[in-house]
Amino acid sequence: MSTAFDFSTAPDRRGSDSVKWNRPWPRAKGGEFEGNVLPLWVADMDFAAPEPVVEAIRHRLEHPVFGYGHPGHGLTAAVTGFLARHYGWEVAPDWLVWLPGVVSGFNVGCRLMGEEGDGVVVAAPVYPPFFAAPGHAGRRLLRTDLVERATPAGPEWGWDWPALDALLADPEQRAAGLLLCHPHNPVGRAWRRDELEALAERVLRHDLVVVSDDIHADLQLVSGARHLPLVRAVPELASRTVTLFAPSKTFNIPGLYCAFAVIPDAGLRQRFRAAARGFVPEPNLLGLAATEAAYRDCDDWLAALLATLRGNADRLVAAVAGLPGVAMARPEATYLGWLDCRGLQARLPQGQDPAAFFEAHGLGLSNGADFGLPGFVRLNFGCPPARLDVALARLVGAVTGLMGGHVDGRLDGHSGARSPA
Protein backbone atom coordinates (compact mmCIF):
# COMPACT_ATOMS: atom_id res chain seq x y z
CA MET A 1 0.00 0.00 0.00
CA SER A 2 1.30 3.42 -0.84
CA THR A 3 2.75 5.37 2.09
CA ALA A 4 1.03 8.48 0.67
CA PHE A 5 -2.32 7.26 2.01
CA ASP A 6 -3.18 6.47 5.61
CA PHE A 7 -6.01 3.99 6.14
CA SER A 8 -4.85 3.07 9.63
CA THR A 9 -6.73 5.96 11.23
CA ALA A 10 -10.04 7.67 10.61
CA PRO A 11 -11.68 10.95 11.62
CA ASP A 12 -13.77 10.84 14.79
CA ARG A 13 -17.42 10.81 13.67
CA ARG A 14 -19.04 10.60 17.09
CA GLY A 15 -21.28 13.57 17.78
CA SER A 16 -21.22 14.62 14.12
CA ASP A 17 -24.12 14.56 11.66
CA SER A 18 -23.30 10.93 10.78
CA VAL A 19 -26.31 8.64 10.41
CA LYS A 20 -23.99 5.70 10.96
CA TRP A 21 -22.51 6.93 14.23
CA ASN A 22 -25.55 8.68 15.72
CA ARG A 23 -27.97 5.75 15.61
CA PRO A 24 -29.37 4.90 19.05
CA TRP A 25 -28.61 1.38 20.29
CA PRO A 26 -31.28 0.57 22.90
CA ARG A 27 -30.24 -3.08 23.22
CA ALA A 28 -26.94 -1.98 24.77
CA LYS A 29 -28.63 0.15 27.43
CA GLY A 30 -27.63 -0.75 30.97
CA GLY A 31 -24.84 -3.06 29.87
CA GLU A 32 -21.09 -2.96 29.48
CA PHE A 33 -21.33 -1.37 26.04
CA GLU A 34 -23.92 1.36 26.68
CA GLY A 35 -22.69 4.41 24.77
CA ASN A 36 -19.86 2.40 23.23
CA VAL A 37 -21.40 0.39 20.39
CA LEU A 38 -19.18 0.14 17.30
CA PRO A 39 -21.42 0.93 14.30
CA LEU A 40 -20.65 -1.44 11.44
CA TRP A 41 -24.04 -1.29 9.76
CA VAL A 42 -24.90 1.36 7.12
CA ALA A 43 -22.71 1.14 4.01
CA ASP A 44 -20.43 4.11 4.32
CA MET A 45 -16.79 3.81 5.31
CA ASP A 46 -15.05 5.57 8.19
CA PHE A 47 -12.18 6.79 5.98
CA ALA A 48 -11.76 10.40 4.91
CA ALA A 49 -12.53 11.11 1.27
CA PRO A 50 -9.52 11.40 -1.06
CA GLU A 51 -7.72 14.73 -0.82
CA PRO A 52 -8.34 15.63 -4.51
CA VAL A 53 -12.07 15.32 -3.81
CA VAL A 54 -11.85 17.52 -0.72
CA GLU A 55 -9.75 20.06 -2.63
CA ALA A 56 -12.24 20.14 -5.51
CA ILE A 57 -15.02 21.00 -3.06
CA ARG A 58 -12.86 23.70 -1.46
CA HIS A 59 -12.16 25.17 -4.88
CA ARG A 60 -15.85 25.21 -5.79
CA LEU A 61 -16.69 26.93 -2.49
CA GLU A 62 -14.42 29.82 -3.44
CA HIS A 63 -17.12 30.92 -5.87
CA PRO A 64 -19.93 32.25 -3.67
CA VAL A 65 -22.84 31.57 -6.02
CA PHE A 66 -24.46 28.13 -5.67
CA GLY A 67 -27.01 28.14 -8.45
CA TYR A 68 -28.20 25.19 -10.47
CA GLY A 69 -25.29 23.08 -11.67
CA HIS A 70 -24.65 21.40 -14.99
CA PRO A 71 -22.39 18.39 -15.66
CA GLY A 72 -19.68 19.90 -17.81
CA HIS A 73 -17.25 18.49 -20.34
CA GLY A 74 -14.59 17.88 -17.68
CA LEU A 75 -16.94 15.72 -15.61
CA THR A 76 -18.10 13.74 -18.63
CA ALA A 77 -14.51 13.13 -19.70
CA ALA A 78 -13.55 12.03 -16.19
CA VAL A 79 -16.41 9.52 -16.04
CA THR A 80 -15.94 8.03 -19.50
CA GLY A 81 -12.18 7.86 -18.93
CA PHE A 82 -12.66 5.98 -15.66
CA LEU A 83 -15.08 3.49 -17.24
CA ALA A 84 -12.59 2.85 -20.04
CA ARG A 85 -9.58 2.43 -17.70
CA HIS A 86 -11.25 0.28 -15.09
CA TYR A 87 -13.82 -1.76 -17.05
CA GLY A 88 -12.56 -1.57 -20.63
CA TRP A 89 -15.94 -0.05 -21.52
CA GLU A 90 -15.98 2.70 -24.14
CA VAL A 91 -19.03 4.79 -23.27
CA ALA A 92 -20.25 7.63 -25.47
CA PRO A 93 -20.89 10.89 -23.58
CA ASP A 94 -24.52 11.03 -24.69
CA TRP A 95 -25.20 7.67 -23.03
CA LEU A 96 -24.96 9.33 -19.59
CA VAL A 97 -28.01 10.45 -17.62
CA TRP A 98 -27.24 12.24 -14.36
CA LEU A 99 -29.07 11.43 -11.13
CA PRO A 100 -28.89 12.24 -7.42
CA GLY A 101 -28.42 8.56 -6.55
CA VAL A 102 -28.74 4.99 -7.79
CA VAL A 103 -31.89 4.38 -5.71
CA SER A 104 -33.61 7.08 -7.76
CA GLY A 105 -32.28 5.34 -10.84
CA PHE A 106 -33.70 1.89 -10.16
CA ASN A 107 -37.01 3.36 -9.03
CA VAL A 108 -37.25 5.20 -12.36
CA GLY A 109 -36.09 2.08 -14.18
CA CYS A 110 -39.02 0.08 -12.85
CA ARG A 111 -41.33 2.44 -14.74
CA LEU A 112 -39.78 1.19 -17.99
CA MET A 113 -40.68 -2.44 -17.25
CA GLY A 114 -43.91 -3.38 -18.97
CA GLU A 115 -47.16 -1.89 -17.70
CA GLU A 116 -48.68 -1.30 -14.29
CA GLY A 117 -49.34 -4.62 -12.61
CA ASP A 118 -46.49 -6.41 -14.39
CA GLY A 119 -43.79 -8.16 -12.39
CA VAL A 120 -40.18 -7.16 -11.60
CA VAL A 121 -37.73 -9.87 -10.57
CA VAL A 122 -35.49 -9.21 -7.56
CA ALA A 123 -32.91 -11.70 -6.24
CA ALA A 124 -32.89 -11.92 -2.44
CA PRO A 125 -31.30 -11.34 -0.04
CA VAL A 126 -30.68 -7.85 -1.33
CA TYR A 127 -30.33 -4.17 -0.41
CA PRO A 128 -33.76 -3.32 1.09
CA PRO A 129 -34.85 -0.54 -1.36
CA PHE A 130 -34.91 -3.17 -4.13
CA PHE A 131 -37.97 -4.73 -2.52
CA ALA A 132 -39.93 -1.47 -2.50
CA ALA A 133 -39.00 -0.12 -5.95
CA PRO A 134 -41.44 -2.20 -8.07
CA GLY A 135 -44.40 -1.12 -5.94
CA HIS A 136 -43.44 2.53 -6.22
CA ALA A 137 -43.82 2.16 -9.98
CA GLY A 138 -47.11 0.26 -9.81
CA ARG A 139 -45.38 -3.05 -10.57
CA ARG A 140 -45.32 -6.25 -8.53
CA LEU A 141 -42.29 -7.65 -6.75
CA LEU A 142 -41.30 -11.11 -7.99
CA ARG A 143 -38.80 -12.49 -5.52
CA THR A 144 -36.33 -15.21 -6.40
CA ASP A 145 -33.90 -16.44 -3.78
CA LEU A 146 -30.18 -16.85 -4.23
CA VAL A 147 -28.74 -20.09 -2.90
CA GLU A 148 -25.47 -20.90 -1.18
CA ARG A 149 -23.53 -23.84 -2.57
CA ALA A 150 -20.35 -25.64 -1.59
CA THR A 151 -17.48 -25.23 -4.07
CA PRO A 152 -13.82 -26.37 -3.95
CA ALA A 153 -12.90 -22.80 -2.98
CA GLY A 154 -15.52 -22.63 -0.23
CA PRO A 155 -19.20 -21.66 0.00
CA GLU A 156 -20.52 -19.39 -2.76
CA TRP A 157 -23.84 -17.62 -3.28
CA GLY A 158 -25.39 -17.97 -6.71
CA TRP A 159 -28.55 -18.06 -8.79
CA ASP A 160 -31.16 -20.74 -8.39
CA TRP A 161 -31.66 -21.16 -12.14
CA PRO A 162 -34.56 -23.65 -12.00
CA ALA A 163 -36.49 -21.41 -9.58
CA LEU A 164 -35.81 -18.35 -11.73
CA ASP A 165 -36.89 -20.20 -14.88
CA ALA A 166 -40.14 -21.29 -13.24
CA LEU A 167 -40.86 -17.74 -12.15
CA LEU A 168 -40.18 -16.28 -15.60
CA ALA A 169 -42.19 -18.97 -17.38
CA ASP A 170 -45.29 -18.49 -15.23
CA PRO A 171 -47.72 -16.39 -17.34
CA GLU A 172 -49.62 -15.30 -14.26
CA GLN A 173 -46.51 -13.55 -12.91
CA ARG A 174 -46.17 -11.36 -16.05
CA ALA A 175 -42.44 -10.77 -15.57
CA ALA A 176 -41.39 -7.65 -17.46
CA GLY A 177 -38.13 -6.64 -15.82
CA LEU A 178 -35.18 -7.51 -13.63
CA LEU A 179 -33.37 -5.48 -10.97
CA LEU A 180 -29.79 -6.72 -10.84
CA CYS A 181 -27.39 -5.96 -7.98
CA HIS A 182 -23.87 -6.29 -9.43
CA PRO A 183 -21.74 -6.73 -7.36
CA HIS A 184 -24.36 -8.06 -5.02
CA ASN A 185 -25.14 -6.42 -1.69
CA PRO A 186 -25.14 -8.12 0.82
CA VAL A 187 -23.71 -11.50 -0.32
CA GLY A 188 -20.61 -9.94 -1.90
CA ARG A 189 -20.72 -11.75 -5.25
CA ALA A 190 -19.10 -10.20 -8.31
CA TRP A 191 -21.04 -12.04 -10.98
CA ARG A 192 -18.83 -13.94 -13.44
CA ARG A 193 -19.12 -13.75 -17.21
CA ASP A 194 -20.77 -17.17 -17.43
CA GLU A 195 -23.39 -16.11 -14.86
CA LEU A 196 -24.07 -12.85 -16.68
CA GLU A 197 -24.39 -14.71 -19.98
CA ALA A 198 -26.83 -17.19 -18.44
CA LEU A 199 -28.86 -14.33 -17.04
CA ALA A 200 -28.77 -12.50 -20.38
CA GLU A 201 -30.12 -15.54 -22.21
CA ARG A 202 -33.16 -15.49 -19.95
CA VAL A 203 -33.57 -11.73 -20.31
CA LEU A 204 -33.69 -12.04 -24.09
CA ARG A 205 -35.91 -15.11 -24.07
CA HIS A 206 -38.50 -13.44 -21.84
CA ASP A 207 -38.17 -9.93 -23.30
CA LEU A 208 -37.19 -8.25 -20.02
CA VAL A 209 -35.87 -4.77 -19.28
CA VAL A 210 -32.87 -4.78 -16.92
CA VAL A 211 -31.69 -2.17 -14.43
CA SER A 212 -28.26 -3.08 -13.08
CA ASP A 213 -27.06 -1.36 -9.90
CA ASP A 214 -23.26 -1.37 -10.16
CA ILE A 215 -22.55 1.02 -7.29
CA HIS A 216 -20.00 -1.37 -5.68
CA ALA A 217 -18.25 -2.09 -9.00
CA ASP A 218 -14.86 -0.69 -8.00
CA LEU A 219 -14.61 -2.47 -4.64
CA GLN A 220 -13.11 -5.71 -5.97
CA LEU A 221 -11.62 -7.81 -3.18
CA VAL A 222 -9.91 -10.38 -5.40
CA SER A 223 -6.51 -9.09 -6.46
CA GLY A 224 -6.44 -8.37 -10.18
CA ALA A 225 -10.21 -8.66 -10.57
CA ARG A 226 -12.00 -6.22 -12.86
CA HIS A 227 -15.68 -5.37 -12.87
CA LEU A 228 -17.59 -6.64 -15.90
CA PRO A 229 -20.76 -4.64 -16.61
CA LEU A 230 -23.65 -6.72 -17.92
CA VAL A 231 -23.85 -4.82 -21.23
CA ARG A 232 -20.14 -5.20 -21.82
CA ALA A 233 -20.40 -8.96 -21.20
CA VAL A 234 -23.45 -9.26 -23.48
CA PRO A 235 -23.69 -6.31 -25.90
CA GLU A 236 -27.01 -7.65 -27.25
CA LEU A 237 -28.61 -6.31 -24.06
CA ALA A 238 -27.71 -2.69 -24.82
CA SER A 239 -31.20 -1.86 -26.11
CA ARG A 240 -32.88 -3.04 -22.92
CA THR A 241 -30.44 -2.24 -20.08
CA VAL A 242 -29.87 0.69 -17.73
CA THR A 243 -26.61 0.51 -15.76
CA LEU A 244 -26.27 2.66 -12.63
CA PHE A 245 -23.04 3.95 -11.11
CA ALA A 246 -21.99 6.42 -8.43
CA PRO A 247 -18.71 7.40 -6.78
CA SER A 248 -20.37 7.30 -3.37
CA LYS A 249 -19.26 3.87 -2.13
CA THR A 250 -15.88 3.81 -3.85
CA PHE A 251 -14.69 7.22 -2.63
CA ASN A 252 -16.88 7.46 0.49
CA ILE A 253 -18.96 10.47 -0.55
CA PRO A 254 -22.57 9.20 -0.38
CA GLY A 255 -23.84 12.40 1.24
CA LEU A 256 -22.90 14.44 -1.86
CA TYR A 257 -25.67 12.81 -3.93
CA CYS A 258 -24.33 12.41 -7.43
CA ALA A 259 -24.81 9.35 -9.65
CA PHE A 260 -25.42 8.49 -13.29
CA ALA A 261 -27.02 5.96 -15.57
CA VAL A 262 -25.35 4.53 -18.67
CA ILE A 263 -28.05 3.92 -21.29
CA PRO A 264 -26.64 3.12 -24.76
CA ASP A 265 -30.03 2.93 -26.52
CA ALA A 266 -31.43 6.34 -27.49
CA GLY A 267 -35.05 5.22 -27.26
CA LEU A 268 -34.64 3.68 -23.82
CA ARG A 269 -32.70 6.73 -22.70
CA GLN A 270 -35.52 9.02 -23.82
CA ARG A 271 -38.08 6.89 -21.97
CA PHE A 272 -35.92 6.95 -18.83
CA ARG A 273 -35.64 10.75 -18.90
CA ALA A 274 -39.40 11.07 -19.41
CA ALA A 275 -40.12 8.69 -16.52
CA ALA A 276 -37.86 10.72 -14.21
CA ARG A 277 -39.23 14.11 -15.18
CA GLY A 278 -40.99 16.03 -12.45
CA PHE A 279 -39.87 14.09 -9.39
CA VAL A 280 -36.16 13.21 -9.66
CA PRO A 281 -33.92 16.19 -8.82
CA GLU A 282 -30.60 17.06 -10.40
CA PRO A 283 -27.35 15.98 -8.72
CA ASN A 284 -25.92 18.04 -5.89
CA LEU A 285 -23.73 20.94 -7.06
CA LEU A 286 -20.80 19.99 -4.83
CA GLY A 287 -21.33 16.37 -5.79
CA LEU A 288 -20.61 17.24 -9.41
CA ALA A 289 -17.26 18.78 -8.46
CA ALA A 290 -16.41 15.86 -6.17
CA THR A 291 -17.32 13.26 -8.79
CA GLU A 292 -15.09 14.81 -11.43
CA ALA A 293 -12.10 14.81 -9.09
CA ALA A 294 -12.79 11.28 -7.85
CA TYR A 295 -12.94 9.71 -11.30
CA ARG A 296 -10.07 11.77 -12.72
CA ASP A 297 -7.50 11.99 -9.92
CA CYS A 298 -7.96 9.18 -7.39
CA ASP A 299 -6.88 5.89 -8.99
CA ASP A 300 -3.87 5.61 -6.66
CA TRP A 301 -6.04 6.28 -3.61
CA LEU A 302 -8.46 3.57 -4.74
CA ALA A 303 -5.63 1.04 -5.14
CA ALA A 304 -4.46 1.78 -1.60
CA LEU A 305 -8.01 1.52 -0.25
CA LEU A 306 -8.44 -1.89 -1.88
CA ALA A 307 -5.29 -3.17 -0.22
CA THR A 308 -6.77 -2.22 3.16
CA LEU A 309 -10.19 -3.70 2.41
CA ARG A 310 -8.67 -6.96 1.21
CA GLY A 311 -6.71 -7.24 4.44
CA ASN A 312 -9.86 -6.49 6.44
CA ALA A 313 -11.79 -9.15 4.53
CA ASP A 314 -9.06 -11.66 5.43
CA ARG A 315 -9.36 -10.67 9.11
CA LEU A 316 -13.13 -11.13 9.08
CA VAL A 317 -13.10 -14.46 7.27
CA ALA A 318 -10.43 -15.82 9.60
CA ALA A 319 -12.34 -14.72 12.71
CA VAL A 320 -15.61 -16.26 11.55
CA ALA A 321 -13.90 -19.52 10.54
CA GLY A 322 -13.18 -20.22 14.21
CA LEU A 323 -16.64 -19.43 15.54
CA PRO A 324 -19.34 -22.00 16.37
CA GLY A 325 -22.77 -21.17 15.05
CA VAL A 326 -21.53 -18.52 12.56
CA ALA A 327 -20.53 -19.00 8.93
CA MET A 328 -19.91 -16.87 5.84
CA ALA A 329 -18.88 -17.04 2.22
CA ARG A 330 -15.81 -14.96 1.40
CA PRO A 331 -16.96 -11.71 -0.25
CA GLU A 332 -15.56 -11.08 -3.73
CA ALA A 333 -16.52 -7.39 -3.76
CA THR A 334 -17.95 -4.61 -1.54
CA TYR A 335 -16.76 -3.96 2.02
CA LEU A 336 -19.61 -5.99 3.50
CA GLY A 337 -19.59 -9.37 5.21
CA TRP A 338 -22.78 -11.47 5.19
CA LEU A 339 -22.76 -13.64 8.31
CA ASP A 340 -25.01 -16.65 8.74
CA CYS A 341 -25.89 -16.71 12.46
CA ARG A 342 -28.75 -19.18 12.32
CA GLY A 343 -26.61 -21.64 14.23
CA LEU A 344 -26.79 -19.31 17.24
CA GLN A 345 -30.56 -19.07 17.26
CA ALA A 346 -31.23 -22.00 19.60
CA ARG A 347 -29.00 -20.42 22.25
CA LEU A 348 -30.44 -16.90 22.04
CA PRO A 349 -33.18 -15.72 24.41
CA GLN A 350 -36.63 -16.37 22.99
CA GLY A 351 -37.59 -13.70 20.48
CA GLN A 352 -34.09 -12.22 20.19
CA ASP A 353 -32.47 -12.03 16.75
CA PRO A 354 -28.72 -12.09 16.09
CA ALA A 355 -28.56 -8.34 15.37
CA ALA A 356 -30.04 -7.55 18.80
CA PHE A 357 -27.68 -10.04 20.45
CA PHE A 358 -24.59 -8.46 18.93
CA GLU A 359 -25.87 -4.95 19.67
CA ALA A 360 -26.01 -5.85 23.37
CA HIS A 361 -22.36 -6.94 23.03
CA GLY A 362 -21.14 -3.69 21.50
CA LEU A 363 -21.56 -4.35 17.77
CA GLY A 364 -24.05 -2.42 15.67
CA LEU A 365 -24.75 -4.62 12.64
CA SER A 366 -27.47 -4.66 9.98
CA ASN A 367 -30.30 -7.12 10.55
CA GLY A 368 -30.54 -9.75 7.82
CA ALA A 369 -34.34 -9.64 8.04
CA ASP A 370 -34.22 -6.21 6.36
CA PHE A 371 -32.50 -7.85 3.39
CA GLY A 372 -35.06 -10.64 3.25
CA LEU A 373 -33.18 -13.30 5.20
CA PRO A 374 -33.65 -13.46 9.01
CA GLY A 375 -30.90 -15.10 11.02
CA PHE A 376 -28.13 -13.27 9.15
CA VAL A 377 -26.30 -10.02 9.90
CA ARG A 378 -24.33 -7.71 7.63
CA LEU A 379 -21.01 -6.32 8.88
CA ASN A 380 -19.34 -3.29 7.27
CA PHE A 381 -15.56 -3.72 7.40
CA GLY A 382 -14.78 -0.38 5.71
CA CYS A 383 -12.80 0.96 8.66
CA PRO A 384 -9.22 1.04 9.98
CA PRO A 385 -7.86 -2.45 10.68
CA ALA A 386 -7.37 -1.70 14.38
CA ARG A 387 -11.03 -0.72 14.70
CA LEU A 388 -12.09 -3.89 12.92
CA ASP A 389 -9.90 -5.91 15.30
CA VAL A 390 -11.81 -4.42 18.25
CA ALA A 391 -15.08 -5.31 16.55
CA LEU A 392 -13.95 -8.86 15.84
CA ALA A 393 -12.83 -9.30 19.44
CA ARG A 394 -16.35 -8.32 20.51
CA LEU A 395 -17.83 -10.69 17.94
CA VAL A 396 -15.71 -13.60 19.18
CA GLY A 397 -16.33 -12.72 22.82
CA ALA A 398 -20.09 -12.57 22.34
CA VAL A 399 -20.27 -15.92 20.56
CA THR A 400 -17.82 -17.58 22.95
CA GLY A 401 -19.88 -16.46 25.92
CA LEU A 402 -23.09 -17.66 24.32
CA MET A 403 -21.59 -21.05 23.61
CA GLY A 404 -20.19 -21.47 27.09
CA GLY A 405 -16.59 -20.90 26.13
CA HIS A 406 -16.46 -23.57 23.41
CA VAL A 407 -15.25 -22.20 20.10
CA ASP A 408 -13.75 -25.23 18.43
CA GLY A 409 -16.60 -27.73 18.14
CA ARG A 410 -19.66 -28.12 15.99
CA LEU A 411 -23.28 -27.08 16.38
CA ASP A 412 -26.08 -29.10 14.82
CA GLY A 413 -28.32 -27.30 12.37
CA HIS A 414 -27.61 -25.22 9.32
CA SER A 415 -24.98 -26.16 6.79
CA GLY A 416 -21.65 -24.52 7.47
CA ALA A 417 -22.33 -23.72 11.13
CA ARG A 418 -20.15 -25.16 13.88
CA SER A 419 -21.12 -26.63 17.21
CA PRO A 420 -19.69 -27.58 20.60
CA ALA A 421 -18.33 -31.07 20.95
Side-chain angles (χ1 to χ4, degrees):
M1 185 175 70
S2 170
T3 57
F5 308 105
D6 179 15
F7 292 99
S8 64
T9 60
D12 188 352
R13 305 179 71 187
R14 292 170 295 185
S16 71
D17 55 5
S18 168
V19 169
K20 180 180 182 180
W21 280 83
N22 281 339
R23 178 175 176 174
W25 301 102
R27 302 284 186 168
K29 186 174 178 62
E32 175 187 354
F33 296 102
E34 181 175 3
N36 186 27
V37 173
L38 276 178
L40 305 179
W41 64 292
V42 70
D44 70 17
M45 296 186 288
D46 287 334
F47 303 121
E51 183 55 32
V53 169
V54 177
E55 182 56 36
I57 294 172
R58 289 196 191 104
H59 179 72
R60 179 59 187 84
L61 289 173
E62 291 175 359
H63 194 295
V65 179
F66 305 108
Y68 298 113
H70 175 70
H73 173 74
L75 175 56
T76 300
V79 166
T80 56
F82 187 92
L83 298 178
R85 288 195 310 278
H86 289 266
Y87 316 147
W89 196 15
E90 299 294 336
V91 168
D94 64 357
W95 294 2
L96 304 181
V97 178
W98 290 92
L99 299 160
V102 298
V103 174
S104 300
F106 60 67
N107 274 273
V108 172
C110 285
R111 296 184 172 206
L112 310 182
M113 298 175 178
E115 306 294 336
E116 287 197 14
D118 285 347
V120 176
V121 177
V122 171
V126 75
Y127 178 50
F130 274 62
F131 294 123
H136 292 159
R139 274 66 175 170
R140 293 178 300 106
L141 171 68
L142 303 181
R143 171 172 168 160
T144 185
D145 286 358
L146 300 176
V147 292
E148 191 176 18
R149 301 183 180 92
T151 76
E156 178 184 270
W157 288 88
W159 294 87
D160 185 340
W161 298 117
L164 178 60
D165 287 338
L167 183 66
L168 293 175
D170 185 347
E172 293 186 2
Q173 300 297 342
R174 294 165 50 193
L178 170 73
L179 291 182
L180 177 66
C181 195
H182 175 41
H184 193 92
N185 169 16
V187 305
R189 281 301 318 282
W191 303 117
R192 296 186 303 267
R193 181 182 290 274
D194 64 297
E195 293 168 307
L196 296 175
E197 290 174 345
L199 196 62
E201 188 277 327
R202 290 162 170 85
V203 167
L204 292 169
R205 185 181 354 137
H206 295 281
D207 193 24
L208 306 180
V209 172
V210 182
V211 175
S212 181
D213 174 2
D214 294 31
I215 196 171
H216 290 99
D218 309 310
L219 300 170
Q220 299 289 326
L221 298 176
V222 178
S223 183
R226 192 183 203 191
H227 178 63
L228 180 62
L230 176 63
V231 171
R232 188 167 182 276
V234 187
E236 293 84 352
L237 296 188
S239 64
R240 60 179 68 238
T241 301
V242 173
T243 309
L244 302 171
F245 296 99
S248 53
K249 304 301 180 186
T250 306
F251 302 102
N252 206 34
I253 51 174
L256 291 176
Y257 292 102
C258 186
F260 59 94
V262 179
I263 312 176
D265 184 78
L268 189 64
R269 192 163 62 246
Q270 183 178 12
R271 290 174 56 207
F272 185 92
R273 292 184 189 277
R277 191 170 299 126
F279 78 99
V280 177
E282 298 297 323
N284 179 278
L285 182 69
L286 297 180
L288 294 173
T291 298
E292 180 173 345
Y295 284 134
R296 186 188 60 216
D297 300 327
C298 297
D299 283 8
D300 289 346
W301 183 93
L302 174 57
L305 169 71
L306 289 175
T308 298
L309 295 181
R310 289 165 183 163
N312 281 357
D314 290 342
R315 282 175 158 81
L316 174 60
V317 170
V320 170
L323 285 182
V326 183
M328 68 177 293
R330 174 179 286 274
E332 299 169 346
T334 79
Y335 44 76
L336 306 166
W338 184 237
L339 279 59
D340 183 352
C341 301
R342 292 173 295 178
L344 303 178
Q345 202 70 56
R347 301 286 187 104
L348 295 178
Q350 186 173 7
Q352 188 179 57
D353 57 48
F357 166 71
F358 286 118
E359 180 182 327
H361 288 80
L363 283 179
L365 308 178
S366 296
N367 192 334
D370 296 335
F371 298 79
L373 201 51
F376 285 70
V377 293
R378 192 189 72 172
L379 186 152
N380 175 352
F381 55 83
C383 62
R387 181 172 296 169
L388 180 62
D389 287 344
V390 173
L392 295 178
R394 293 184 183 184
L395 180 78
V396 170
V399 174
T400 301
L402 183 69
M403 297 300 187
H406 299 285
V407 296
D408 58 354
R410 298 196 61 81
L411 180 67
D412 294 336
H414 296 282
S415 174
R418 302 166 184 81
S419 67

